[in-house]
């Protein structure tokens, strides 16, 4: 991506009224229903979530949410405080794109014949750093990780060559400056190990357990 | 596959790590837990999915008093009234499905008014979850936006820990409602339960922010330099049991102080620094002078839009200091120059230490001048009317004269609520109970029942409009059966008065569906064996109020008041607080 493109892309992300992309990082206990509780904080204010990823963190039992929204600073700051208020949330950060390292994964399914026949496609793939995940007679699946504009660019490039299917993951992000919380997380775990997640063990066992 | 040997080993291991003290059902261990938490009164309504808990309750009648309400909404409002009057956690039982959904209004009310509740709902068997079983509703997801925390128990072994957490969460920090949904299998499951351990800590939950002294110092500096400081206090003072600390702070600094309706009774009405009520129907001086003060000190209040009016014209000239236990409240509506995070029970004494003694006599006199204008133009005509019609204000004046500020006054929602909050006198904290944030009509009667259980030695007067009363009149049945001594005062203007007032002022008198006819309220009370009378003449008002208050037992008094009386002053919606109208 050229510098000019990058400037253009950044400008597109920032609205005139101060809105821009923010990545909200939530560290929370792994609890059923917490995702809903967090999502409600956005939907209550009619704010659209651009992307949401929930995964394990480096500490057992602590989950990490990456939520991308397009909003102004004040709104994001207040949202973060409301999320942090939830009982099972340990810490919330909110960062602009400059403050994080982030990636999205995109998968592209294209016709294998097209790939085989047209060298330009191969070149395109190299150019975008794609890797083949599956190669079959009828189709091939490629994967690319990168920023939105990178994965988008490959979609455009592949469209003339029978792009059959395309899917992109939610954003995963690492905050450039969050070593402090990692230490705290480790302390939490050392002092108070997390509790086990209690799921419904009786689901689908009704006939065996109860007679009434 | 687990062998018998494994089971024995597991049981032995369990016995070593925890001292088993009780073998019983999930229901029994729940009730034991409630007793350990100090619960004595439960408001509730049984049903299929909570039957095992009610079955167990049969054996606990000597320790747990259960008040059978007539509708789950009545149950939760009663628990709110109980919590607000007593300062303890209100407890509610309801069954699954419709029982649980009937609690939603009360949960939302308790959430916005920071009322500590632990609500237990029964749920269908765990193996039936998600099958649309009889009376199954997704209670956890329905109640998520209106609870501080909620949890579904599917195994009896979870009950003790979850209950302990529920009480800790409900009452710590900024209090709020907590709901536990217990599947029927967990209620009947028999286990060896360890001793109940109260919860005092959850690793991801910080109920109180750490007090930062530098912010207290900055606040003190601003206060000491202020020529025209002004204090706004809210329910945070009451919830933090910081009434004495608050009084010490304002008395040392001599700062005029005004209240939100939930903060009202934290200090006596007669306190010389109490300058009145804020907001839409608040007093003239406090509203106008919000836009003249140089330092605004908000304590345990959340700048609700009914208090601030138009935000872009709100106290723009003032430096704002905001003391609150909930960090999310600071800067939420009004940007603070100094945010003091923390429990005001801790932060106020630190602040009091650093502030200078002061009197602010000249500044206080400005409040008195405005007050005089309001007395002449609004208060005197309302409290001592010359017309034939009885005014709501004069009813309150008579109550003040009879009760001398000692009664607990519970109000419903509407014009009578604003009048009661404006004119009732209070000597004691936790005496004013009303639905502030949600504005729930139907709150008054059941909340008053709960308040009586929360403060049995006090006279409890429920002041309710003719509209609001008709939302939960069935709770007269609860009074009848359990004898809660509640004085019910219906101020009947034959209108949904507050909406009618708006229609008159802003919709060109287009009285769209605000005419409400009522049954014979006194006859209705009599049907429930509750004494009562109706008055529509001024000469009989005082005696009738005296009869109601001195009557042994519950009493219903219906007072016919002026049909088109309005509540003034008023900040019209979308206007700034300094544009408050006296008429």
């Amino acid at each position: 991506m050229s510098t000019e493109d990058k400037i253009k892309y950044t400008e597109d992300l920032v609205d005139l009224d101060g809105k821009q992309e923010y990545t909200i990082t939530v560290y929370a206990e792994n609890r059923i229903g917490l995702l809903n509780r967090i999502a409600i904080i956005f939907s209550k204010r009619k704010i659209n979530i651009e992307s949401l990823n929930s995964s394990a963190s480096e500490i057992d039992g602590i989950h990490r949410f990456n939520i991308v929204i397009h909003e102004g600073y004040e709104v994001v700051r207040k949202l973060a405080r409301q999320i942090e208020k939830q009982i099972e949330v340990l810490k919330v950060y909110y960062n602009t794109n400059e403050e994080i390292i982030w990636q999205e994964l995109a998968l592209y399914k294209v016709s294998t014949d097209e790939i085989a026949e047209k060298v330009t496609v191969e070149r395109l793939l190299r150019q975008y750093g794609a890797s083949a995940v599956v190669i079959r007679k009828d189709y091939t699946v490629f994967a690319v990780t990168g920023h939105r504009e990178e994965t988008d660019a490959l979609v455009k490039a592949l469209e003339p060559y029978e792009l059959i299917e395309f899917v992109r993951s939610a954003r995963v992000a690492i905050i450039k400056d969050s070593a402090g919380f990692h230490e705290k997380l480790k302390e939490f775990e050392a002092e108070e190990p997390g509790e086990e997640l209690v799921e419904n063990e009786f689901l689908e066992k009704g006939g065996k357990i109860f007679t009434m | 596959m687990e062998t018998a040997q494994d089971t024995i080993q597991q049981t032995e291991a369990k016995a070593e790590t925890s001292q088993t003290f009780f073998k019983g059902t999930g229901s029994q261990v729940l009730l034991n837990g409630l007793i350990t938490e100090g619960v004595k009164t439960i408001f509730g309504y049984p049903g299929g999915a909570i039957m095992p808990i009610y079955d167990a309750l049969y054996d606990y009648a000597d320790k747990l008093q259960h008040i059978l309400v007539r509708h789950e909404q009545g149950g939760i409002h009663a628990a709110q009234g109980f919590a607000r009057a007593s300062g303890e956690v209100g407890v509610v039982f309801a069954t699954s499905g419709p029982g649980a959904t009937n609690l939603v209004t009360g949960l939302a009310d308790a959430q916005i008014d920071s009322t500590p509740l632990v609500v237990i709902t029964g749920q269908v068997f765990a193996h039936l979850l998600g099958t649309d079983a009889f009376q199954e509703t997704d209670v956890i997801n329905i109640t998520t936006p209106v609870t501080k925390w909620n949890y579904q128990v599917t195994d009896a072994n979870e009950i003790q820990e979850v209950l302990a957490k529920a009480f800790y969460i409900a009452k710590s920090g900024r209090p709020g409602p907590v709901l536990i949904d217990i599947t029927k299998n967990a209620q009947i499951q028999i286990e060896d339960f360890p001793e109940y351990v109260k919860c005092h800590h959850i690793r991801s939950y910080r109920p109180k922010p750490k007090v930062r002294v530098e912010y207290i110092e900055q606040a003190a500096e601003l206060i000491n330099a202020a020529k025209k400081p002004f204090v706004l206090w809210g329910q945070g003072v009451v919830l933090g049991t910081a009434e004495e600390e608050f009084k010490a702070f304002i008395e040392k600094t001599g700062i005029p102080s005004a209240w939100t309706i939930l903060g009202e009774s934290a200090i006596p009405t007669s306190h010389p620094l109490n300058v009145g009520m804020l907001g839409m129907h608040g007093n003239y001086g406090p509203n106008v002078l919000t836009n003249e003060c140089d330092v605004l000190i908000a304590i345990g209040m959340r700048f609700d839009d009914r208090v601030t009016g138009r935000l872009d014209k709100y106290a723009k000239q003032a430096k704002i200091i905001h003391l609150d236990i909930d960090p999310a409240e600071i800067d939420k509506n009004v940007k603070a120059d100094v945010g003091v995070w923390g429990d005001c029970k801790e932060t106020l004494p630190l602040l009091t230490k650093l502030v200078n003694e002061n009197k602010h006599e000249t500044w206080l006199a400005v409040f008195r001048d405005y007050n005089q204008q309001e007395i002449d133009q609004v208060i005197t005509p309302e409290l001592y009317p010359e017309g034939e019609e009885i005014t709501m204000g004069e009813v309150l004046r008579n109550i003040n004269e009879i009760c001398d500020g000692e009664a607990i006054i519970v109000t419903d929602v509407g014009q009578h609520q604003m009048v009661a909050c404006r004119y009732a006198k209070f000597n004691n904290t936790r005496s004013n109970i009303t639905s502030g944030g949600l504005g729930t009509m139907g709150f008054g009667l059941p909340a008053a029942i709960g308040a009586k259980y929360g403060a049995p030695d006090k006279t409890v007067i429920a002041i309710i409009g003719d509209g609001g009363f008709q939302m939960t009149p069935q709770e007269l049945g609860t009074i009848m059966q359990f004898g809660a001594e509640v004085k019910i005062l219906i101020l009947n203007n034959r209108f949904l008065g507050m909406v009618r007032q708006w229609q008159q002022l802003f919709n060109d008198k287009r009285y769209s569906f605000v005419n409400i006819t009522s049954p014979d309220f006194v006859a209705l009370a009599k049907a429930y064996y509750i004494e009562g009378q109706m008055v529509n003449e001024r000469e009989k008002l005082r005696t009738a109020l005296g009869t109601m208050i001195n009557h042994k037992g519950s009493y219903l008094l219906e007072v016919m008041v002026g049909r088109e009386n309005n509540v003034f002053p008023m900040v019209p919606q979308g206007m700034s607080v300094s544009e408050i109208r006296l008429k």
Side-chain angles (χ1 to χ4, degrees):
Chain A
M1 200 180 194
S2 69
T3 315
E4 266 181 20
D5 285 347
K6 263 188 186 158
I7 292 168
K8 168 90 184 57
Y9 178 72
T10 314
E11 275 173 0
D12 286 346
L13 288 180
V14 183
D15 285 355
L16 289 175
D17 57 356
K19 289 187 178 180
Q20 61 173 308
E21 266 191 0
Y22 277 93
T23 302
I24 298 173
T25 307
V26 181
Y27 288 96
E29 301 283 354
N30 183 14
R31 283 285 172 274
I32 292 164
L34 184 61
L35 175 62
N36 190 27
R37 214 166 243 284
I38 291 172
I40 283 170
I41 293 169
F42 294 87
S43 59
K44 187 180 173 186
R45 292 161 180 77
K46 211 171 175 190
I47 292 171
N48 185 40
I49 292 175
E50 306 284 338
S51 130
L52 190 155
N53 177 70
S54 163
S55 71
S57 73
E58 66 271 31
I59 306 293
D60 237 14
I62 290 177
H63 266 215
R64 182 170 170 150
F65 297 78
N66 279 142
I67 305 164
V68 183
I69 58 165
H70 193 80
E71 266 303 334
Y73 172 74
E74 278 300 316
V75 171
V76 174
R77 195 164 70 102
K78 288 173 191 177
L79 281 167
R81 282 193 186 171
Q82 295 293 341
I83 299 169
E84 210 161 66
K85 229 174 107 161
Q86 303 307 312
I87 303 296
E88 282 122 351
V89 171
L90 292 125
K91 186 75 191 162
V92 178
Y93 292 100
Y94 47 96
N95 298 96
T96 59
N97 288 344
E98 288 71 43
E99 295 165 337
I100 54 168
I101 295 148
W102 55 278
Q103 294 279 278
E104 289 166 349
L105 168 73
L107 297 178
Y108 308 76
K109 190 198 276 183
V110 287
S111 156
T112 305
D113 287 348
E114 290 279 313
I115 298 292
E117 284 169 19
K118 295 175 180 163
V119 186
T120 50
V121 175
E122 189 195 332
R123 191 176 286 167
L124 266 181
L125 296 174
R126 277 192 193 157
Q127 192 180 330
Y128 288 91
S131 55
V133 182
V134 169
I135 302 169
R136 291 174 28 149
K137 272 186 186 169
D138 46 350
Y139 64 76
T140 300
V141 175
F142 294 101
V144 165
T145 53
H147 286 193
R148 176 71 55 90
E149 70 272 22
E150 291 158 352
T151 51
D152 271 353
L154 185 55
V155 173
K156 277 195 187 135
L158 283 174
E159 264 166 9
Y161 306 107
E162 283 186 30
L163 174 62
I164 304 165
E165 230 179 290
F166 164 69
V167 64
R168 181 166 44 219
S169 74
R171 172 181 294 189
V172 289
I174 297 271
I175 303 164
K176 289 177 184 168
D177 186 25
S178 72
F181 197 66
H182 170 76
E183 288 307 312
K184 266 198 186 140
L185 271 180
K186 284 203 295 193
E187 279 172 33
F188 270 137
E189 187 59 16
E191 285 169 19
E192 305 168 53
E195 294 157 18
E196 261 178 55
L197 183 68
V198 181
E199 296 193 43
N200 182 5
E201 61 189 296
F202 304 102
L203 207 66
E204 304 297 336
K205 288 186 186 168
K208 290 181 194 164
I209 301 171
F210 300 111
T211 52
M212 61 179 286
Chain B
M1 202 174 152
E2 200 173 70
T3 63
Q5 192 58 37
D6 288 340
T7 315
I8 291 164
Q9 276 173 4
Q10 279 171 15
T11 313
E12 282 172 354
K14 206 171 165 187
E16 273 171 30
T17 53
S18 62
Q19 180 199 352
T20 299
F21 95 111
F22 180 76
K23 186 179 179 72
T25 64
S27 299
Q28 288 169 326
V29 84
L30 173 85
L31 298 179
N32 282 334
L34 289 174
I35 291 165
T36 314
E37 291 289 351
V39 174
K40 293 187 181 69
T41 308
I42 297 162
F43 302 90
Y45 204 100
I50 199 168
M51 267 177 60
I53 292 176
Y54 272 88
D55 181 62
L57 192 59
Y58 195 74
D59 298 322
Y60 286 72
D62 54 332
K63 292 190 183 107
L64 291 168
Q65 178 187 30
H66 178 272
I67 309 299
L68 175 68
V69 291
R70 294 301 186 264
H71 188 286
E72 288 85 356
Q73 185 182 357
I76 191 160
H77 289 329
Q80 289 176 270
F82 174 88
R84 297 270 287 275
S86 66
E88 293 166 24
V89 177
V91 179
V92 184
F93 285 175
T95 192
S96 61
T101 56
N102 282 341
L103 299 172
V104 173
T105 305
L107 287 169
D109 197 298
Q111 171 87 335
I112 199 163
D113 282 354
S114 310
T115 308
L117 298 181
V118 169
V119 176
I120 312 283
T121 51
Q123 181 55 278
V124 301
F125 283 89
H127 70 270
L128 294 174
L129 285 171
T131 64
D132 299 329
F134 177 67
Q135 292 196 330
E136 184 200 358
T137 48
D138 185 356
V139 176
I140 292 299
N141 279 315
I142 288 175
T143 61
T144 292
V146 289
T147 48
K148 187 173 173 187
W149 187 70
N150 60 9
Y151 191 89
Q152 187 171 60
V153 170
T154 50
D155 186 313
N157 292 304
E158 296 175 82
I159 289 176
Q160 288 179 315
E161 190 189 335
V162 170
L163 186 70
K165 265 188 178 179
F167 272 88
Y168 175 57
I169 292 168
K171 64 188 174 190
S172 61
R174 180 176 179 174
V178 169
L179 181 139
I180 307 174
D181 194 40
I182 308 178
T183 57
K184 202 168 173 180
N185 58 293
Q187 296 172 41
I188 56 178
Q189 188 180 337
I190 297 170
E191 292 288 338
D192 285 328
F193 293 101
E195 195 169 350
Y196 185 87
V197 181
K198 283 193 189 184
C199 174
H200 299 286
H201 173 76
I202 297 169
R203 77 168 180 175
S204 56
Y205 173 52
R206 299 281 169 275
K208 288 182 199 178
K210 226 179 191 173
V211 178
R212 302 264 297 266
V213 180
E214 62 266 38
Y215 294 124
I216 304 229
E217 287 166 353
Q218 286 171 27
E221 210 171 293
L222 280 179
I223 293 166
N224 288 337
K227 297 274 176 281
K228 297 195 282 186
F230 185 22
V231 164
L232 318 180
W233 93 80
Q235 199 195 190
V237 173
V238 179
L239 295 172
T241 60
E243 292 91 344
E244 285 309 314
E245 290 80 358
F246 174 68
K247 218 163 92 176
F249 168 71
I250 59 168
E251 285 175 354
K252 185 174 181 191
T253 52
I255 303 177
S257 307
W259 38 271
T260 71
I261 59 169
L262 290 193
E264 180 167 10
S265 60
I267 60 166
T269 317
S270 57
H271 193 283
L273 291 167
N274 182 343
V275 293
M277 172 172 162
L278 294 163
M280 184 171 270
H281 290 287
N283 293 109
Y284 193 42
N287 275 302
V288 173
L289 294 173
T290 297
N291 281 351
E292 287 187 26
C293 65
D294 56 2
V295 173
L296 198 65
I297 307 139
I299 303 172
M301 58 87 75
R302 58 189 181 88
F303 290 111
D304 181 84
D305 59 283
R306 280 294 192 270
V307 162
T308 62
R310 250 182 98 146
L311 272 178
D312 61 343
K313 292 185 178 177
Y314 186 78
K316 289 292 164 200
Q317 80 297 341
K319 294 274 182 204
I320 313 274
I321 300 167
H322 193 173
L323 285 78
D324 208 292
I325 197 165
D326 180 356
E329 286 302 337
I330 295 184
D331 291 348
K332 189 182 84 178
N333 296 329
V334 172
K335 188 114 182 119
D337 294 280
V338 180
V340 181
W341 298 2
D343 186 344
C344 58
K345 181 116 184 146
E346 293 167 25
T347 53
L348 277 173
L350 294 171
L351 190 56
T352 307
K353 242 188 230 171
L354 299 180
V355 289
N356 300 335
E357 274 190 47
N358 214 322
K359 293 278 182 228
H360 290 295
E361 272 303 338
T362 327
W363 170 231
L364 200 55
V366 186
F367 282 89
R368 291 196 195 109
D369 289 345
Y370 276 104
N371 195 35
Q372 195 55 50
Q373 287 180 49
E374 188 178 338
I375 288 173
D376 296 342
Q377 293 185 52
V378 180
I379 298 175
T380 306
E382 177 71 30
L383 300 191
Y384 302 92
E386 288 173 355
E388 275 182 23
E389 290 178 331
I390 297 176
T391 64
M392 290 186 259
E394 70 179 310
V395 177
L396 264 299
R397 171 174 60 81
N398 279 288
I399 289 176
N400 289 338
E401 286 165 10
I402 298 168
C403 297
D404 201 21
E406 290 298 319
I408 289 182
I409 293 186
V410 184
T411 51
D412 206 75
V413 170
Q415 283 185 315
H416 72 276
Q417 175 192 30
M418 291 298 109
V419 170
C421 290
R422 281 177 55 79
Y423 298 117
K425 302 263 182 273
F426 297 104
N427 295 337
N428 309 303
T429 189
R430 296 190 174 277
S431 297
N432 173 50
I433 296 170
T434 193
S435 166
L438 200 66
T440 305
M441 286 175 72
F443 174 87
L445 182 62
I449 296 170
K452 187 66 194 174
Y453 285 102
D457 300 333
K458 294 274 181 189
T459 299
V460 175
I461 305 173
I463 303 180
I464 312 176
D466 44 326
F469 188 80
Q470 291 183 70
M471 286 205 173
T472 49
Q474 69 275 23
E475 297 310 329
L476 290 174
T478 309
I479 294 176
M480 171 183 71
Q481 187 173 349
F482 295 90
E485 193 179 330
V486 176
K487 315 297 180 185
I488 306 156
L489 176 59
I490 299 177
L491 300 182
N492 186 346
N493 58 8
R494 292 147 288 163
F495 266 129
L496 300 177
M498 190 57 98
V499 182
R500 187 211 56 74
Q501 176 170 339
W502 281 50
Q503 288 172 341
Q504 180 191 341
L505 298 175
F506 312 119
N507 288 0
D508 202 20
K509 282 201 173 187
R510 286 156 56 86
Y511 290 169
S512 182
F513 299 100
V514 285
N515 258 306
I516 185 165
T517 51
S518 297
D520 181 338
F521 288 126
V522 177
L524 184 66
K526 286 197 170 145
Y528 286 99
Y529 306 99
I530 295 167
E531 285 295 313
Q533 64 171 315
M534 186 268 279
V535 288
N536 55 11
E537 294 160 67
R538 178 163 297 130
E539 297 71 46
K540 294 181 181 164
L541 176 64
R542 179 61 171 259
T543 315
L545 284 168
T547 305
M548 173 184 84
I549 287 161
N550 295 319
H551 180 79
K552 217 171 155 46
S554 294
Y555 195 92
L556 185 145
L557 175 64
E558 180 185 10
V559 180
M560 307 307 289
V561 295
R563 285 210 82 190
E564 296 189 78
N565 278 172
N566 287 335
V567 191
F568 282 112
M570 179 178 192
V571 182
Q573 191 148 38
M575 306 287 255
S576 95
V577 284
S578 47
E579 292 168 291
I580 186 167
R581 293 168 55 164
L582 275 172
K583 53 187 164 188

